[in-house]
């Protein structure tokens, strides 16, 4: 290890690297264990009609309780992808959400639908389609009670691999044919050409929170949101705004005829017990 004057000592670099490696190793092992033991939890964030303020659904969001803290999906989903565990986690979330919505059919207010996030690996590899079909039939749940969320960038990847419209024989289009709803998640953050959207045959656009954040004070953001809503409507799609935090944002979205919304203004994601108390009683 040749060292010049002024260079960082080599042992620092290699010690840091080996610490990082052993951290990754530890996480990999405990993530494998978490999958085997089904340590994950699913939380639910309510979604409302902005017009009537009626409950229209809930988004299922996975959590990992580890060492006295809840690890957010942003931290472990990318690792799960890397370690080849994402399909199993996705199946766990789907199965849990399907059983949960069925269980809630006995509540005062029934939950109309549950939205489930998917990753590109799930849609492009493995047999998610068959798993979905099997799970719905075992639990006797109608397909239209499930909304599959696909991010804009995954949607584009799917088109690259499978084409669009009649040429598309992908998992996504199979789910669509079975009657599940499909939403484009985080819309506006990708680089999809608008002309694609009309070939996609999706049900809903979810406008990314970053636009909602700016809708009050940045006229450009408001113009973009307005354009997305109008384009969505002209294509026969529902439009949902994510990350609504203030009454003022809600008012603006209502004035722009946005159909649905979710966000901390209404509620943070809640565990099943709290969700039931707050939203279904
Ligand atoms: P997403 O699908 O866009 O989910 C919305 C995220 O925004 C959630 O974060 C939610 O807690 C948060 N959020 C909702 N309303 C507000 C608000 O008003 N203010 C703020 N500051 N945040 C809000 P979360 O639960 O940490 O999830 C992050 C991302 O992880 C999700 O983004 C989704 O892409 C991914 N994810 C979550 N669950 C799953 C899953 O089961 N499978 C896969 N593949 N990805 C998942
Ligand atoms: Mg989502
Ligand atoms: Mg989203
Ligand atoms: Mg988002």
């Amino acid at each position: 290890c040749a060292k010049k004057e002024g260079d960082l000592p080599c042992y620092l670099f290699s010690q840091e690297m080996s610490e990082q490696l052993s951290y990754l190793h530890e996480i990999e092992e405990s993530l494998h264990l978490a999958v085997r033991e089904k340590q994950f939890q699913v939380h639910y964030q309510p979604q409302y009609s902005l017009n009537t303020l009626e409950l229209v659904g809930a988004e299922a969001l996975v959590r990992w309780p580890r060492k006295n803290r809840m690890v957010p999906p942003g931290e472990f989903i990318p690792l799960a992808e890397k370690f080849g565990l994402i399909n199993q986690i996705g199946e766990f979330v789907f199965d849990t959400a399907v059983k949960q919505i069925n269980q809630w059919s006995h509540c005062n207010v029934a939950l109309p639908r549950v939205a489930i996030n998917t990753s590109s690996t799930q849609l492009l590899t493995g047999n998610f389609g068959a798993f979905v079909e099997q799970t719905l039939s075992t639990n006797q749940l109608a397909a239209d009670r499930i909304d599959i969320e696909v991010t804009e960038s995954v949607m584009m990847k799917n088109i690259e691999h499978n084409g669009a419209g009649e040429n598309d024989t992908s998992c996504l289009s199979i789910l669509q044919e079975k009657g599940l709803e499909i939403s484009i998640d985080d819309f506006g953050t990708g680089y999809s050409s608008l002309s694609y959207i009309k070939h996609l045959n999706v049900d809903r656009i979810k406008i990314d929170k970053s636009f909602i954040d700016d809708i009050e004070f940045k006229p450009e953001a408001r113009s973009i949101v307005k354009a997305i809503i109008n384009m969505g409507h002209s294509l026969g799609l529902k439009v949902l705004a994510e990350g609504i935090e203030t009454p003022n944002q809600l008012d603006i979205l209502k004035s722009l005829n946005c159909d649905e919304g979710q966000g901390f203004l209404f509620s943070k994601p809640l565990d099943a017990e709290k969700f039931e108390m707050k939203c279904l009683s």
Side-chain angles (χ1 to χ4, degrees), residues 27-33 35-36 40 79-91:
I27 286 277
E28 178 168 11
E29 260 171 39
S30 77
L31 203 51
H32 269 99
L33 185 69
V35 167
R36 276 202 303 278
F40 304 99
L79 293 172
E81 297 256 11
K82 192 177 151 99
F83 303 143
L85 295 168
I86 191 66
N87 288 355
Q88 282 158 279
I89 295 176
E91 289 182 1

Side-chain angles (χ1 to χ4, degrees), residues 17-18 31 35 56 59 65 92 94 99 116 190 209 224 240:
M17 255 182 59
S18 90
L31 203 51
V35 167
V56 292
E59 178 170 3
F92 171 80
F94 191 89
K99 294 201 163 87
I116 295 166
K209 177 179 180 302
I224 292 170
L240 182 148

Side-chain angles (χ1 to χ4, degrees), residues 40-256:
F40 304 99
Q41 289 180 13
V42 180
H43 287 197
Y44 299 87
Q45 186 178 40
Q47 303 172 320
Y48 294 93
S49 154
L50 297 191
N51 194 17
T52 64
L53 296 183
E54 276 174 314
L55 182 73
V56 292
E59 178 170 3
L61 294 156
V62 70
R63 305 280 180 263
W64 180 24
R66 178 173 191 260
K67 295 185 177 172
N68 305 322
R69 92 180 174 108
M70 267 312 174
V71 187
E75 267 179 55
F76 70 89
I77 293 282
L79 293 172
E81 297 256 11
K82 192 177 151 99
F83 303 143
L85 295 168
I86 191 66
N87 288 355
Q88 282 158 279
I89 295 176
E91 289 182 1
F92 171 80
V93 173
F94 191 89
D95 188 61
T96 304
V98 163
K99 294 201 163 87
Q100 190 61 74
I101 194 175
N102 262 348
Q103 208 175 310
W104 280 335
S105 61
H106 306 292
C107 293
N108 266 340
V109 180
L111 182 66
R113 66 164 193 261
V114 65
I116 295 166
N117 292 284
T118 54
S119 76
S120 64
T121 316
Q122 252 178 305
L123 293 172
L124 297 174
T125 70
N127 51 354
F128 187 58
F131 176 84
V132 165
E133 187 169 22
Q134 179 65 52
T135 307
L136 291 180
S137 114
T138 307
N139 293 279
Q140 300 198 3
L141 185 75
D144 64 4
R145 304 283 298 284
I146 303 287
D147 176 23
I148 296 291
E149 294 195 6
V150 185
T151 61
E152 192 181 8
S153 55
V154 170
M155 196 65 98
M156 293 303 118
K157 244 193 229 172
N158 193 67
I159 292 174
E160 274 168 35
H161 282 246
N162 304 292
E166 282 159 25
N167 301 324
D168 180 7
T169 55
S170 67
C171 174
L172 203 55
S173 98
I174 291 167
L175 295 177
Q176 238 155 8
E177 270 164 36
K178 296 206 181 306
L180 287 87
E181 296 205 341
I182 310 286
S183 295
I184 308 183
D185 202 358
D186 301 342
F187 189 81
T189 59
Y191 42 86
S192 55
S193 126
L194 293 185
S195 64
Y196 269 136
I197 305 291
K198 72 173 192 289
H199 298 295
L200 285 179
N201 192 23
V202 299
D203 300 278
R204 183 178 293 96
I205 293 172
K206 296 187 72 176
I207 306 176
D208 190 67
K209 177 179 180 302
S210 55
F211 297 99
I212 312 306
D213 285 342
D214 288 342
I215 202 174
E216 285 176 81
F217 305 114
K218 291 198 181 149
E220 318 87 76
R222 196 184 298 205
S223 301
I224 292 170
V225 169
K226 185 178 176 180
I228 294 175
I229 293 169
N230 291 339
M231 174 205 68
H233 286 167
S234 72
L235 294 171
L237 309 180
K238 287 244 168 71
V239 182
L240 182 148
E242 45 176 28
I244 306 175
E245 293 183 344
T246 72
N248 197 16
Q249 290 169 349
L250 175 61
D251 286 342
I252 295 167
L253 288 161
K254 276 168 130 174
S255 76
L256 297 177

